[in-house]
Amino acid sequence: PVAASAPTRFAPAPETPAANPNAIKVKAESVAGRLTVKTDNPGPTRVELTDAGGRPVLTYTMMNGQIPTVLKVGQLPAGAYIVRCTAYEKTGMRRVMIGQ
């Protein structure tokens, strides 16, 4: 007699987390001493640039995040920085390299 084998079971696929409704999409590019920041937020957005140690080095308020803002960052030391954008309860961030 042939023994019946147990049916093969598959692990369920991991679920994709739901989009965070309080997230702002941030696009930041550093070129020749300038940092261009654009978000998907239509209203006023606070932009904070922090160094690798988490210390704020530049703060600016954009009146319409969907219109790119150019910030002068040529005086900052070369290295990695974090651009954090906040609008009311929404936030978003992006890592950028400046001066490299």
Side-chain angles (χ1 to χ4, degrees), residues 24 26-28 35-39 44-62 69 71-73 76 80-87 90-96 98:
I24 296 176
V26 178
K27 180 178 182 184
L35 176 65
T36 303
V37 179
K38 181 180 178 185
T39 73
T45 303
R46 177 185 164 104
V47 177
E48 184 176 68
L49 184 67
T50 58
D51 64 13
R55 294 176 295 273
V57 294
L58 187 142
T59 302
Y60 181 79
T61 299
M62 302 167 62
T69 295
L71 305 172
K72 294 180 182 177
V73 294
L76 296 175
Y81 291 83
I82 300 291
V83 177
R84 182 180 323 261
C85 296
T86 307
K90 294 184 175 187
T91 60
M93 68 176 73
R94 172 79 53 184
R95 183 174 181 261
V96 294
I98 293 179

